[in-house]
Amino acid sequence: MAAGNPHTVAFFGATGGCTLACLVQALEAGICCSALVRDPAKLQNLLRQRGVSDSVTADKLCIVKGSVTDLDAVQQTLMYNGRPVDIIISGVGGKPIFTNPLRPRLDNPTICQDAVRTILAASRALGAKPVLVAISSVGLSTKKRDSPIAMLPFNYWLLREPHADKKVMEETIFDEMKKPEADRAIRDYTLVRPSWFTNGEGVGLGKIRAGTEMDPAIGYTICRNDVGLWIFENFVRRSLQSENPYLGQPINITA
């Protein structure tokens, strides 16, 4: 394990672009990880394509086969070498269905909220209190506009169903954090709200802008690789004992 990183990390939605990018960074840094996927071979192939060797995968990654709504499978993923993990990265999301191009639907319109409920239930059953970092979406702030005015129609028409799911996911986490500390399933949380996704190499950490609900960073897009890199640098690489200004609130990021 990398010096200065004595924690372990569980990944959900690990075959998706943002979460996969974070997982690659973590494995290359020598951090011990677990990942829940429906198809382990798919994840292993994606890691090879990203340059992660089979030896690193075998040494640092525990892959659990199953569904994120399966409590037993999620509990397995929240353990590494018999101990609860310290950080959870959830990038679970539904696949869009473009039967109607103006109103895309999701193959599973409640997957984000169902996943978080299961993760919280599994963590509570284990008696662990990890930090939860969940990838949400720009456009959900109720305090200040966090995306350009020109994007508002697209957010409404194209992201209406995904936003509804992620909104419930966020409220579920907020409700969890309102409980007495002893009753919570997690120690702390961050909701990462990226701008519209793009693919490619990304622009790098130095050009990623982060904002809070009261002081949002306004931008059009961000690369999936940059989202994964930002999460890695600010949560996975960072010591859990250090002050982290991003914990305990939604953070929107753009590039």
Side-chain angles (χ1 to χ4, degrees):
M1 186 171 294
N5 286 292
H7 51 260
T8 51
V9 188
F11 289 84
F12 297 90
T15 57
C18 301
T19 317
L20 176 64
C22 186
L23 174 59
V24 168
Q25 294 280 342
L27 293 174
E28 290 180 342
I31 295 172
C32 295
C33 307
S34 63
L36 176 63
V37 291
R38 290 183 179 275
D39 185 352
K42 178 181 178 180
L43 177 58
Q44 290 169 331
N45 287 333
L46 288 170
L47 291 173
R48 291 188 192 105
Q49 293 170 19
R50 296 290 187 106
V52 180
S53 69
D54 288 348
S55 61
V56 169
T57 300
D59 186 45
K60 297 296 182 182
L61 178 62
C62 175
I63 300 177
V64 178
K65 182 178 180 179
S67 166
V68 75
T69 57
D70 182 334
L71 184 62
D72 289 339
V74 172
Q75 285 181 328
Q76 290 180 49
T77 311
L78 295 184
M79 301 290 289
Y80 190 94
N81 281 346
R83 297 184 61 183
V85 299
D86 303 294
I87 303 174
I88 301 169
I89 309 293
S90 178
V92 174
K95 294 180 180 179
I97 300 173
F98 292 99
T99 305
N100 179 353
L102 295 179
R103 185 62 62 86
R105 306 296 302 275
L106 295 176
D107 62 341
N108 185 340
T110 63
I111 185 60
C112 294
Q113 56 188 282
D114 294 342
V116 160
R117 288 191 187 104
T118 309
I119 289 169
L120 292 174
S123 181
R124 183 172 289 106
L126 292 173
K129 291 187 183 294
V131 171
L132 171 62
V133 179
I135 300 175
S136 187
S137 174
V138 74
L140 293 179
S141 177
T142 59
K143 297 178 180 178
K144 286 193 175 182
R145 177 173 55 83
D146 57 4
S147 60
I149 293 176
M151 299 300 290
L152 298 182
F154 295 96
N155 290 343
Y156 179 78
W157 289 107
L158 298 180
L159 297 181
R160 192 171 183 178
E161 191 165 87
H163 273 182
D165 184 26
K166 290 185 182 296
K167 187 68 174 176
V168 177
M169 176 193 77
E170 290 193 354
E171 290 171 352
T172 300
I173 296 172
F174 294 148
D175 288 344
E176 186 69 26
M177 294 303 295
K178 291 176 183 176
K179 296 177 181 179
E181 186 174 351
D183 297 335
R184 296 175 195 163
I186 52 177
R187 178 167 69 86
D188 215 331
Y189 81 101
T190 298
L191 289 166
V192 180
R193 294 171 172 171
S195 297
W196 279 64
F197 291 134
T198 61
N199 294 317
E201 292 298 319
V203 298
L205 188 66
K207 294 185 178 180
I208 300 172
R209 293 181 290 120
T212 64
E213 285 199 293
M214 297 308 297
D215 186 20
I218 307 296
Y220 286 91
T221 62
I222 187 169
C223 179
R224 289 177 171 87
N225 281 341
D226 282 336
V227 175
L229 174 63
W230 189 86
I231 293 173
F232 169 74
E233 292 289 350
N234 287 287
F235 299 97
V236 180
R237 186 192 291 276
R238 193 178 190 131
S239 169
L240 291 174
Q241 284 71 44
S242 66
E243 290 289 330
N244 191 329
Y246 299 124
L247 283 175
Q249 62 182 323
I251 299 291
N252 81 290
I253 57 174
T254 191

